[in-house]
Amino acid sequence: MKREEIIIPQADLDRQRDFQERIRALFSARGLSPRACVETFGCQQNVADGQRIMGMLEAMGFTFTQEPGEADLVLLNTCAIREHAEQRVFGNLGLLTHTKKERPDQVLVLCGCMAQEERVAKRVRESYRHVDLVFGPQALWRFPELLWQVYETRKRVFSIEDEHGGIAEGLPVVRERGVKAWVSIMYGCNNFCSYCIVPYVRGRERSREPAAVLTEVRQLVDEGYKDITLLGQNVNSYGNDLDRGYHFPELLEDIDQIPGDYWIRFMSSHPKDASPRLFDVMAKCSHVAKQLHLPFQSGNNRVLEEMNRRYTRESYLELIRYAKSVMPGLVLTSDVIIGFPGETEAEAMDTVSLVEEVGFDALFTFIYSPRPGTRAASMPDPVPREEKQRWFDKLLEVQNRRSAAIHAGYAGRTVRVLVDGESGDGDYPLSSRTEGNRLVRLKGDPALIGRFLEVRITGSNTWALYGEPV
Ligand code: SAH
Ligand code: SF4
Ligand code: F3S
């Protein structure tokens, strides 16, 4: 598709603003101040989308509540990555029938990745008749118009056309106040890893204009945000669709020029596209946190090939070796799938051995979950769940031991952290993050939230460090 067709024209965005105004007028004419309950599931990209949805709702005059029972509108922004995620949403939908009986005017919205799946839309159409509006991630910018249709016609509205997806700039946003912010730099995914639903529900890869990203980051820094994460399913393919020789490393270099006291992070990176040039740029840019989330999924080359990942165990290890050589204190994390269809115990143990070899600071581990419509879902999968669970437990045991050892190595050291909130732990009431994004629970006063501090590490466990300001 041509670039002009991907960038959503200003006139179309203005039209959506009109619908926002109309809905606002609808409530104010009746002297009502509507409340919305928004729940987001899934990854940071979905969280960022949820913040845009809240921005649009705010522009329509809504305030927010955590209580579905008190809300005029309940919105579930869903995730489709594993079966468990979908079950949770259907469970929630079931519970909301009761809420709606008590508030018949309540509007129930289902959006996000699950909403884009035809199978889900069909099930909602037939069995969850209290859902008023269903739309997928590509239709997010048209939410005001779709919601207007619901109020206007009082009929159910489904907008799940299988779209390529566009780029809508300047949508309103409600961010979490404080120190952390998310910035989507691109949308969609072209990689079609054989187990993964994302390319089917989020459309094709499309990169925002560098100038738009730079303006947004500059604003965030001016507003006092200090920990900014650039988001994309594979940030390393940023710019491929722009065709001007401007890619992710160039974007990072330009962002790094923005003056201020802040860290910039990014996720996720795909090992097939991560390059030594990226690591050189990370190493020299002072705002770029020396932290890398580089999912490897499997340590076995046959499984990697079946997953359509397009790199090998050896090339992955070589990338890590290079990254560590230019950033000696690099904090490394990764995602892993155990029990891909046809994986044998020996192959799963190759994953465990890669984990031992690399020494990740933390790992996000998943048992394979078949996603209808993906290639892997039709592959023979003979290994019973209990067997996969055993391999998984072995992996966790190895990783937990490693995490605990890495954390223990911090004892007595003085590190710089950003205090990002309260921890809820009485003795260590503050939560903070190191440059490598490790959690440090701190003694100290809530007035320190939002500040960079030097702290001494006094203790640790598998999941967190403990410290006090020096
Ligand atoms: N785009 C990101 C990943 C997004 S999904 C990337 O490529 O790094 C986050 C993680 O969920 C993936 O890295 C993978 O480990 C896991 N995952 C994706 N599909 C899965 C499935 N069908 N079953 C189990 N885990 C899955
Ligand atoms: Fe899914 Fe692969 Fe795309 Fe990540 S890169 S979102 S795992 S298809
Ligand atoms: Fe889930 Fe969609 Fe993210 S499937 S992990 S919310 S891209």
Side-chain angles (χ1 to χ4, degrees):
M1 256 170 97
K2 287 210 228 47
R3 188 77 184 154
E4 310 82 81
E5 295 166 36
I6 288 173
I7 308 266
I8 293 157
Q10 191 56 45
D12 292 356
L13 296 171
D14 289 345
R15 233 180 113 244
Q16 295 303 318
R17 211 163 295 151
D18 289 344
F19 286 112
Q20 276 167 202
E21 279 307 316
R22 282 200 224 176
I23 293 174
R24 180 191 272 278
L26 195 79
F27 285 110
S28 64
R30 296 190 206 146
L32 300 173
S33 28
R35 281 191 288 182
C37 173
V38 174
E39 188 167 6
T40 291
F41 303 81
C43 63
Q44 269 85 8
Q45 205 129 64
N46 226 31
V47 171
D49 284 357
Q51 295 179 341
R52 298 286 167 183
I53 288 168
M54 287 176 74
M56 292 186 255
L57 284 167
E58 192 179 63
M60 297 173 205
F62 281 86
T63 55
F64 299 101
T65 167
Q66 313 272 3
E67 271 305 314
E70 295 173 358
D72 302 285
L73 180 145
V74 178
L75 182 144
L76 302 182
N77 183 24
T78 63
C79 170
I81 201 80
R82 282 169 290 274
E83 194 182 351
H84 176 70
E86 294 200 353
Q87 279 165 351
R88 272 180 66 201
V89 169
F90 281 118
N92 267 298
L93 279 182
L95 292 176
L96 287 167
T97 44
H98 307 297
T99 325
K100 193 148 177 177
K101 274 207 188 97
E102 277 158 36
R103 297 181 72 107
D105 281 346
Q106 187 176 64
V107 167
L108 180 51
V109 183
L110 186 82
C111 64
C113 293
M114 253 175 94
Q116 189 72 46
E117 291 179 283
E118 229 158 275
R119 174 178 57 85
V120 170
K122 184 164 181 286
R123 183 163 162 198
V124 170
R125 218 185 270 277
E126 288 164 6
S127 313
Y128 295 83
R129 305 198 57 84
H130 59 311
V131 177
D132 300 286
L133 170 57
V134 177
F135 66 90
Q138 277 78 272
L140 179 114
W141 64 280
R142 292 199 296 116
F143 173 44
E145 178 178 2
L146 299 171
L147 186 59
W148 172 256
Q149 280 174 24
V150 172
Y151 283 124
E152 174 98 327
T153 64
R154 281 284 156 185
K155 290 206 180 107
R156 310 176 77 195
V157 175
F158 285 73
S159 177
I160 49 153
E161 311 82 55
D162 191 5
E163 291 173 71
H164 175 288
I167 297 177
E169 287 296 345
L171 296 182
V173 58
V174 172
R175 291 188 201 271
E176 212 176 293
R177 273 195 298 147
V179 292
K180 288 187 197 206
W182 316 108
V183 176
S184 296
I185 61 166
M186 57 192 296
Y187 306 97
C189 182
N190 288 356
N191 292 309
F192 290 93
C193 302
S194 62
Y195 49 80
C196 185
I197 194 74
V198 173
Y200 300 91
V201 293
R202 289 222 163 225
R204 296 290 62 72
E205 267 175 13
R206 49 217 192 266
S207 307
R208 290 177 67 195
E209 284 295 316
V213 175
L214 286 164
T215 304
E216 186 172 344
V217 175
R218 203 172 290 121
Q219 260 167 12
L220 290 169
V221 171
D222 288 347
E223 287 168 24
Y225 288 95
K226 294 195 160 51
D227 192 337
I228 299 169
T229 305
L230 309 176
L231 299 176
Q233 293 302 339
N234 172 14
V235 294
N236 300 116
S237 50
Y238 177 82
N240 287 356
D241 54 330
L242 294 173
D243 259 347
R244 13 183 140 134
Y246 189 97
H247 294 97
F248 187 61
E250 284 74 32
L251 182 69
L252 265 190
E253 280 175 323
D254 284 347
I255 290 175
D256 188 56
Q257 298 294 313
I258 297 172
D261 203 7
Y262 64 92
W263 282 325
I264 199 96
R265 313 178 186 281
F266 54 88
M267 69 182 301
S268 284
S269 279
H270 195 306
K272 84 178 161 57
D273 300 313
S275 61
R277 157 118 175 95
L278 170 70
F279 302 141
D280 292 342
V281 167
M282 283 179 74
K284 77 163 195 218
C285 289
S286 62
H287 290 112
V288 177
K290 304 304 177 264
Q291 175 229 327
L292 183 65
H293 181 64
L294 193 64
F296 69 92
Q297 315 297 1
S298 164
N300 177 273
N301 286 339
R302 189 196 69 82
V303 175
L304 283 173
E305 171 128 24
E306 289 293 306
M307 288 178 163
N308 191 30
R309 290 289 290 182
R310 289 172 279 172
Y311 55 84
T312 61
R313 177 187 178 104
E314 293 71 30
S315 66
Y316 184 83
L317 287 171
E318 176 54 28
L319 268 180
I320 298 291
R321 194 200 56 73
Y322 185 79
K324 283 185 168 170
S325 77
V326 294
M327 292 174 281
L330 182 68
V331 167
L332 257 180
T333 58
S334 196
D335 294 347
V336 186
I337 297 175
I338 286 284
F340 183 81
E343 184 176 63
T344 64
E345 177 161 9
E347 288 168 339
M349 292 309 119
D350 284 345
T351 295
V352 176
S353 80
L354 189 143
V355 165
E356 275 177 303
E357 195 170 336
V358 174
F360 294 96
D361 293 72
L363 213 53
F364 301 87
T365 48
F366 308 103
I367 291 185
Y368 169 75
S369 169
R371 306 285 63 221
T374 61
R375 207 151 57 73
S378 56
M379 296 177 183
D381 189 4
V383 176
R385 173 83 193 195
E386 309 78 70
E387 181 76 0
K388 292 184 182 182
Q389 188 68 48
R390 259 197 334 105
W391 306 345
F392 185 81
D393 292 345
K394 171 79 186 156
L395 175 70
L396 271 197
E397 181 198 316
V398 166
Q399 179 56 39
N400 287 346
R401 213 179 319 121
R402 186 50 93 82
S403 293
I406 293 179
H407 281 171
Y410 281 85
R413 275 172 57 193
T414 298
V415 293
R416 188 162 182 254
V417 298
L418 174 62
V419 187
D420 60 7
E422 298 188 45
S423 69
D425 172 341
D427 292 338
Y428 294 85
L430 297 180
S431 124
S432 70
R433 293 279 169 172
T434 65
E435 178 179 338
N437 214 13
R438 300 293 81 217
L439 173 64
V440 185
R441 302 223 149 134
L442 276 189
K443 298 200 173 193
D445 191 275
L448 294 170
I449 292 171
R451 296 253 304 270
F452 285 102
L453 287 183
E454 298 289 325
V455 305
R456 205 172 64 84
I457 302 301
T458 52
S460 72
N461 58 30
T462 309
W463 299 277
L465 303 165
Y466 293 84
E468 51 197 31
V470 293

